[in-house]
Amino acid sequence: MENNNKSQAELYREERKERLAKAAAKNAKKSPMSVKTQKTVKKVISIVLAVVIAFGAVAGVLNFFDIPQKTVKVSIDGVKEKISLAEINYFYFQTWMQSFNTAAQYEQYGEGMGLSMTGFDYTKAPDQQEYTEDQVQFTGVAMEDLGDIKEPTWQDVFTYSAVYQLVNAKYGAEKAREAGLKLTEAEEKEIDSQFEEMRKTAKENDYSLNRWLRLQLGYGVTEKLIRNITEEMYLAQKYYDKVTEDTTNAVTADKINEEYKANKDDYDVVDLRIYAFAADLGNNHTHEEGEDHEKEHAEAEAKAKKNAEAFLEKATDEEKFIAAAKSDILSKDNKSTKDPDASTLVENTKYATLTSSYSEAVAKWVYDDARKAGEIAVVDGENGTFYVVMMKTLPHKDTSIYSSDVRHILVQFPEKNTDGTATSTKDEDGNTKKNITEETKKVTKEKAQAILDEYLKNPTEENFAKLAKEKTEDPGSKDNGGLYEGVMNDGKYVKPFTEWAIADGRKAGDTGIVETDYGYHIMYFVKAGNLSWYQAVQTALVGAEIEEGIAKEIEDCVHSVKLDSFTINWTLKRENKHISTIIVNNLGASHAGHNH
């Protein structure tokens, strides 16, 4: 009966804590080396006995040859294949390197920006940095994900990430094999080409590939190990794609409509005008508690609210709203080039976006059933900010096309204009600048029109695909007849191309010519995907299904591993030393922040 008063989240955390405790007890009874491992180690010791004496200890020899990293395995509940310390090293190093590079890139915008934007101090080794609740927002790794570790460091976070990636690969690969999924010949060739590139790099630096990989990626990392991991990741992805496809196919239109009706505010979109007035607490805020502080704070907020209300009186319609915004912008900076139209317009936005970008109060006001189109009000957004909000539309279904399949034939602009000048040049910073004359555009478009006219003599998709294979200058789509599937407004394709592909009213067989910086695209509309609202609901339902199913299973597998075990800590101590050397080499000894 006691459990009836607890939330699902609380019950799940308790259940997971109990499972972790059982896993820890189970692991504590096991030897860190299997019988097979012990035999391997004994064999190595007998072979290199003379070297043992020179090094002074068996451990020194084993470490030199990375024997423990390759042979000591860590068990995972729910996964048949154990993970080696070398595999943990590999993913641990990769995770650290990604964080290091990201933080270092932010640092170019100002000292301390790397830490501010990522929560990670790239000048210190992971085990020398405390990990706190405040940093969860940067990584998504919650404290409870780290098990029973009392004072976690970034080493624990990177270890969790490494184990998660390993489990993700091994679990998915095992399921893929059970389902009869195999790598295609093309995928195997792709993997081979990746290793050829690695081998080429190693040779350029006068190393064998294995030696190069060990130096670059950590102890025990070899070509065989990375190839095995890569193949497992490819297989795992095939399995997860299949799970997603099967789950998506199982979500019926009735389920989607039921979910939409039950949670309309999660999916509806709205168009608004918003202008903010924030209380100026910079000069008035004394950072001291007491009546004076409260009075200054209240006065600053009252001024901001008064300014918002004065704006409201002027902005009686949309045109006057824009004019009032322009006046206020120029009153603060009479040289400002800020566009009052674009800067106040908020289109196709959802409740959640309004909450994160503005405030919960704004979202609640906008999505209140009492709202009317054209209504305008001052909304207290809390924290001393007041928003003047105008309803351009009421919340509604987003009926735009989410994605579509199209074919195209690209006729590129030539390297030289008709007058002999270059159509593109580079400035001193290496940025490309287009310099295409109108005459060159005219000639290029005529070529595109001629191809379109040829297609129209036999207006079938098969004929368009045939012409694309023959005439397109886009190598990325030539072999499949100019086909691009799932084109959506995600920035992947140039804007004019995308806008044509997902324009309202498109029908199968529609054609057109679109100009981009590349040239002219002869477009053919194959089919539209889901409408945006339908896709949003479907994605949410599929995500929830996967989260409750396979994602939870993977999490359970990860949490069966004791992240701060002696075995894992031992190998990561050496890996952190390796990382510290890299930090010193990249930033100088004064920034190393680590002393072994």
Side-chain angles (χ1 to χ4, degrees), residues 406-411 464 468 472 474 477 481-484 497 520-524:
V406 297
R407 294 184 186 272
H408 86 132
I409 299 170
L410 173 63
V411 181
F464 193 97
T472 189
D474 172 22
S477 64
L483 180 65
Y484 280 110
F497 183 96
Y520 286 96
H521 305 254
I522 306 152
M523 307 293 294
Y524 178 93

Side-chain angles (χ1 to χ4, degrees), residues 74-260:
V74 177
S75 298
I76 310 167
D77 289 352
V79 179
K80 296 173 186 174
E81 185 183 349
K82 296 179 180 181
I83 56 177
S84 69
L85 299 184
E87 288 174 312
I88 294 175
N89 285 348
Y90 172 72
F91 279 105
Y92 180 87
F93 183 88
Q94 294 284 58
T95 306
W96 166 78
M97 180 58 80
Q98 183 178 4
S99 299
F100 177 91
N101 287 337
T102 302
Q105 286 169 5
Y106 276 120
E107 199 69 11
Q108 66 183 305
Y109 299 110
E111 187 176 350
M113 285 299 293
L115 178 60
S116 175
M117 297 301 291
T118 67
F120 179 68
D121 186 345
Y122 75 113
T123 69
K124 295 180 179 179
D127 60 336
Q128 297 299 296
Q129 301 184 59
E130 182 185 7
Y131 184 74
T132 66
E133 283 282 3
D134 294 338
Q135 292 161 329
V136 171
Q137 61 177 311
F138 300 110
T139 66
V141 178
M143 289 299 183
E144 63 186 33
D145 291 330
L146 303 178
D148 296 326
I149 299 172
K150 298 269 191 257
E151 298 178 351
T153 65
W154 278 81
Q155 171 180 307
D156 301 310
V157 175
F158 292 163
T159 306
Y160 170 82
S161 177
V163 172
Y164 191 98
Q165 291 175 77
L166 273 167
V167 170
N168 200 56
K170 292 186 180 296
Y171 176 95
E174 284 183 9
K175 295 292 185 181
R177 293 186 190 101
E178 290 172 8
L181 300 174
K182 297 179 180 179
L183 296 181
T184 64
E185 186 177 335
E187 288 167 338
E188 288 176 345
K189 286 182 178 179
E190 187 175 333
I191 293 172
D192 286 340
S193 68
Q194 292 173 20
F195 280 89
E196 283 307 311
E197 284 298 314
M198 290 185 206
R199 191 169 282 104
K200 182 181 176 182
T201 302
K203 188 176 181 181
E204 288 172 353
N205 289 274
D206 296 324
Y207 284 101
S208 67
L209 180 54
N210 278 338
R211 182 60 176 157
W212 176 252
L213 291 173
R214 183 187 189 278
L215 289 171
Q216 297 299 313
L217 300 174
Y219 297 99
V221 177
T222 63
E223 177 183 357
K224 182 180 179 182
L225 178 135
I226 298 182
R227 182 179 284 276
N228 183 60
I229 289 172
T230 305
E231 290 174 352
E232 287 186 325
M233 290 174 74
Y234 270 73
L235 269 177
Q237 190 58 55
K238 290 174 91 72
Y239 174 70
Y240 296 135
D241 287 345
K242 184 178 185 302
V243 169
T244 301
E245 182 181 354
D246 292 347
T247 307
T248 300
N249 292 336
V251 177
T252 65
D254 286 343
K255 287 182 180 178
I256 288 172
N257 283 312
E258 287 172 12
E259 168 63 14
Y260 173 76

Side-chain angles (χ1 to χ4, degrees), residues 309-488:
E309 290 171 342
F311 183 102
L312 178 64
E313 290 182 11
K314 299 175 187 175
T316 53
D317 57 36
E318 188 171 5
E319 185 178 341
K320 290 177 181 177
F321 189 108
I322 297 170
K326 181 177 181 179
S327 176
D328 191 71
I329 290 169
L330 294 177
S331 71
K332 296 169 183 173
D333 178 5
N334 59 16
K335 294 181 181 179
S336 176
T337 57
K338 187 176 182 181
D339 186 343
D341 184 354
S343 64
T344 61
L345 182 60
V346 178
E347 292 183 299
N348 229 40
T349 194
K350 294 182 179 179
Y351 188 106
T353 306
L354 288 175
T355 299
S356 60
S357 300
Y358 301 97
S359 74
E360 179 76 18
V362 169
K364 284 182 177 179
W365 185 86
V366 168
Y367 278 79
D368 192 306
D369 290 340
R371 295 287 74 79
K372 296 178 181 178
E375 185 175 356
I376 182 171
V378 173
V379 180
D380 184 351
E382 301 172 351
N383 298 318
T385 302
F386 295 85
Y387 298 96
V388 184
V389 186
M390 172 180 279
M391 302 289 297
K392 274 177 64 70
T393 67
L394 293 176
H396 59 278
K397 282 182 177 179
D398 184 355
T399 56
S400 63
I401 297 173
Y402 176 74
S403 69
S404 64
D405 298 346
V406 297
R407 294 184 186 272
H408 86 132
I409 299 170
L410 173 63
V411 181
Q412 286 184 315
F413 289 126
E415 291 183 4
K416 291 186 177 181
N417 287 304
T418 54
D419 62 6
T421 59
T423 54
S424 66
T425 57
K426 289 189 176 181
D427 60 24
E428 45 189 41
D429 295 325
N431 299 315
T432 300
K433 181 181 179 182
K434 295 293 182 179
N435 183 34
I436 305 164
T437 65
E438 290 303 315
E439 180 61 25
T440 301
K441 287 185 178 183
K442 179 175 178 289
V443 171
T444 309
K445 189 172 184 180
E446 286 173 352
K447 290 181 181 179
Q449 185 63 53
I451 296 173
L452 179 57
D453 291 342
E454 185 178 351
Y455 156 76
L456 291 172
K457 292 175 184 177
N458 177 21
T460 64
E461 184 177 353
E462 291 75 16
N463 186 39
F464 193 97
K466 177 174 174 290
L467 288 171
K469 289 181 178 180
E470 295 172 358
K471 299 179 182 293
T472 189
E473 296 178 70
D474 172 22
S477 64
K478 185 180 182 70
D479 292 342
N480 62 357
L483 180 65
Y484 280 110
E485 296 178 300
V487 177
M488 64 181 74

Side-chain angles (χ1 to χ4, degrees), residues 30-42 68 70-75 82 567:
K30 292 184 178 180
S31 168
M33 290 189 188
S34 65
V35 174
K36 182 179 178 182
T37 298
Q38 291 171 10
K39 289 179 180 178
T40 303
V41 172
K42 288 177 182 177
K70 297 172 184 175
T71 56
V72 176
K73 306 281 186 176
V74 177
S75 298
K82 296 179 180 181
T567 309

